[in-house]
């Protein structure tokens, strides 16, 4: 059975969100490299993020193939945990009086670029989550009824 358009669009949005996360990492590492030396901690962070992004792409691939467990995993890991990791620190900084761009993008040379990419990232996660639980997607992921004799 072919996936409905909502699942195809959600898949594209998940890929967009993950790619935005990769771009955010490149911007952050570029900022660090511009200001100081890249130490072992930075490389450990890049390695960990690489594993997370690879795992996310694998989940998206299984989601696109109609695996229910991948849909649940994406919802829990990326829509809840990942989104909270992006939004909560920024919200706390806003609460402490930081400007929106500083709270989301930081204060370095790439702050505006990071801000734009982060907004794209958050929007892609929210839209993908909505689409992956839309009526068409729910019907696609529903267990097939058992055949009666």
């Amino acid at each position: 059975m072919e996936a409905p358009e909502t699942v195809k669009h959600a898949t594209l949005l998940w890929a967009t969100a993950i790619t935005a996360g990769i771009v955010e990492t490149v911007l952050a590492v570029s900022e660090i490299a511009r200001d100081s030396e890249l130490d072992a901690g930075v490389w450990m962070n890049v390695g960990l993020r690489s594993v997370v992004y690879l795992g996310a792409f694998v989940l998206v691939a299984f989601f696109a193939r109609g695996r229910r467990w991948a849909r649940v995993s994406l919802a829990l890991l990326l829509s809840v945990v990942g989104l909270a990791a992006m939004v909560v620190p920024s919200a706390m900084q806003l609460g402490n009086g930081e400007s929106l761009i500083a709270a989301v993008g930081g204060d370095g040379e790439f702050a505006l670029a990071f801000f734009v990419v982060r907004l794209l990232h958050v929007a892609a996660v929210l839209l993908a989550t909505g689409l992956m639980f839309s009526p068409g997607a729910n019907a696609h992921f529903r267990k097939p009824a058992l055949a009666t004799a």
Side-chain angles (χ1 to χ4, degrees):
M1 170 161 85
E2 185 174 333
E5 291 299 311
T6 54
V7 172
K8 291 176 183 178
H9 293 307
T11 300
L12 179 61
L13 285 164
W14 280 122
T16 301
I18 297 165
T19 303
I22 293 168
V23 171
E24 289 171 13
T25 300
V26 169
L27 290 170
V29 170
S30 297
E31 187 73 33
I32 293 167
R34 190 182 63 81
D35 293 340
S36 63
E37 190 172 308
L38 297 177
D39 60 14
V42 172
W43 290 113
M44 288 283 290
N45 191 305
V46 169
L48 178 61
R49 286 174 182 267
S50 298
V51 169
V52 168
Y53 296 140
L54 180 61
F57 272 124
V58 169
L59 283 176
V60 170
F62 279 111
F63 166 76
R65 289 179 176 82
R67 303 298 194 273
R68 287 183 296 277
W69 61 267
R71 181 169 82 146
V72 171
S73 297
L74 284 170
L76 293 174
L77 296 173
L78 300 185
S79 300
V80 176
V81 176
L83 193 59
M86 287 190 293
V87 173
V88 170
S90 294
M92 291 174 64
Q93 287 183 355
L94 281 171
N96 289 334
E98 290 286 341
S99 71
L100 182 60
I101 291 179
V104 176
D107 60 357
E109 184 177 326
F110 302 116
L112 185 58
F114 193 92
F115 174 79
V116 170
V117 173
R118 176 58 58 97
L119 290 183
L120 172 67
H121 190 164
V122 170
V125 169
L126 292 173
L127 290 169
T129 302
L131 285 175
M132 94 177 165
F133 288 103
S134 66
N138 287 340
H140 177 68
F141 285 100
R142 195 170 292 125
K143 286 185 177 183
L146 295 175
T148 56

